[in-house]
């Protein structure tokens, strides 16, 4: 409030962030906002264009120590998702900022009889990866609902381990993070879904 006593409300210094940052804090009186760049992968400068204030979706997130657990799908182009890797046996995407997630939903081999075994890894820095799902020995197809312990996620990597046709590969058609259905498959919201990969 006075430019002398500052309270740190968000710390993303250990995470890869890009494009528009949608940052949430608990309600408080604020007069001044200070943003400090801590590192940059491409150069030594830190720039931002503008800061805007909005509370429209405050009811759609949970805020935990400055970290956001969204209820809506953040794996969308409109949420500044980037596809980092698109190969026959691997799909890797980067969210615009770190989110606390505990579920995802994938659409595999849409409309086809082919089945696939796959694994899912996540990371916050594109260096240290944790496997959160291992369905390498399964015969999976269509929608896959994945639930796991809450964790910070920036990168998501889906890797094919095997397919029912030797000359074919995994096609991850849609991705939701977090999943927009409950454990019974009932939609939570009518959010649009990202079409990551079409049929090749």
């Amino acid at each position: 409030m006075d430019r002398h006593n500052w309270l740190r409300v968000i710390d993303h210094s250990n995470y890869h962030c890009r494009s528009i940052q949608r940052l949430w804090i608990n309600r408080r009186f604020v007069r001044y906002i200070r943003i400090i760049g801590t590192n940059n992968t491409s150069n030594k400068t830190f720039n931002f264009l503008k800061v805007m204030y909005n509370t429209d979706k405050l009811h759609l997130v949970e805020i935990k120590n400055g970290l956001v657990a969204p209820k809506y799908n953040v794996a969308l182009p409109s949420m500044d998702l980037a596809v980092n890797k698109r190969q026959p046996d691997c799909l890797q995407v980067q969210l615009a900022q770190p989110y606390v997630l505990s579920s995802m939903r994938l659409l595999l081999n849409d409309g086809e009889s082919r089945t696939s075994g796959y694994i899912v890894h996540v990371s916050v820095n594109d260096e240290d990866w944790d496997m959160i799902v291992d369905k390498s020995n399964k015969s999976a197809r269509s929608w896959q609902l994945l639930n796991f312990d809450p964790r910070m996620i920036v990168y998501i990597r889906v890797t094919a381990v095997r397919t029912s046709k030797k000359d074919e590969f995994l096609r991850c058609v849609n991705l939701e993070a977090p999943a927009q259905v409950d454990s019974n498959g009932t939609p939570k919201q009518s959010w649009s879904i990202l079409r990551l990969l079409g049929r090749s």
Side-chain angles (χ1 to χ4, degrees):
M1 294 294 294
D2 58 6
R3 297 181 68 179
H4 295 290
N5 299 301
W6 293 90
L7 175 66
R8 182 180 299 182
V9 292
I10 294 171
D11 186 350
H12 285 178
S13 58
N14 293 322
Y15 309 113
H16 288 184
C17 302
R18 55 176 298 279
S19 193
I20 296 175
Q21 300 292 290
R22 295 166 176 86
L23 308 176
W24 301 91
I25 63 173
N26 293 314
R27 293 180 185 274
R28 63 182 307 109
F29 289 106
V30 173
R31 190 171 185 182
Y32 300 98
I33 300 172
R34 183 169 66 186
I35 303 172
I36 300 173
T38 57
N39 62 76
N40 191 320
T41 58
S42 60
N43 52 55
K44 295 183 178 181
T45 63
F46 177 78
N47 299 308
F48 66 93
L49 300 179
K50 58 183 175 181
V51 177
M52 296 178 291
Y53 173 71
N54 192 317
T55 61
D56 288 349
K57 291 185 177 180
L58 187 59
H59 64 291
L60 296 176
V61 300
E62 293 181 20
I63 304 170
K64 301 176 180 179
N65 299 322
L67 303 176
V68 177
K71 299 178 182 177
Y72 53 90
N73 186 10
V74 296
L76 293 165
S78 61
M79 295 297 294
D80 300 291
L81 179 82
V83 178
N84 288 2
K85 187 181 297 184
R86 192 182 307 196
Q87 298 175 345
D89 63 346
C90 178
L91 170 69
Q92 180 176 315
V93 300
Q94 180 184 359
L95 305 176
Q97 66 191 69
Y99 290 102
V100 178
L101 299 173
S102 60
S103 70
M104 295 180 200
R105 195 164 73 128
L106 313 174
L107 178 57
L108 304 179
N109 308 323
D110 188 24
E112 300 178 3
S113 60
R114 175 180 357 132
T115 61
S116 304
Y118 66 94
I119 53 178
V120 180
H121 290 82
V122 295
S123 174
V124 296
N125 57 16
D126 199 21
E127 295 179 4
D128 304 306
W129 292 86
D130 295 320
M131 184 169 63
I132 59 169
V133 174
D134 183 355
K135 292 197 175 184
S136 55
N137 294 321
K138 304 293 184 181
S139 296
R141 61 180 299 273
S142 191
W143 282 107
Q144 304 290 300
L145 179 59
L146 313 177
N147 292 292
F148 44 90
D149 293 334
R151 60 174 59 230
M152 291 298 297
I153 294 177
V154 177
Y155 297 90
I156 303 169
R157 186 171 65 200
V158 183
T159 306
V161 177
R162 60 177 183 80
T163 63
S164 58
K165 297 182 180 180
K166 293 182 179 180
D167 59 341
E168 296 289 350
F169 52 85
L170 176 91
R171 290 190 177 96
C172 180
V173 181
N174 287 337
L175 170 63
E176 293 175 356
Q180 297 301 292
V181 299
D182 59 24
S183 58
N184 297 320
T186 305
K188 295 179 181 178
Q189 293 283 349
S190 58
W191 303 104
S192 58
I193 299 172
L194 168 66
R195 178 164 293 273
L196 286 173
L197 295 176
R199 296 183 180 178
S200 58

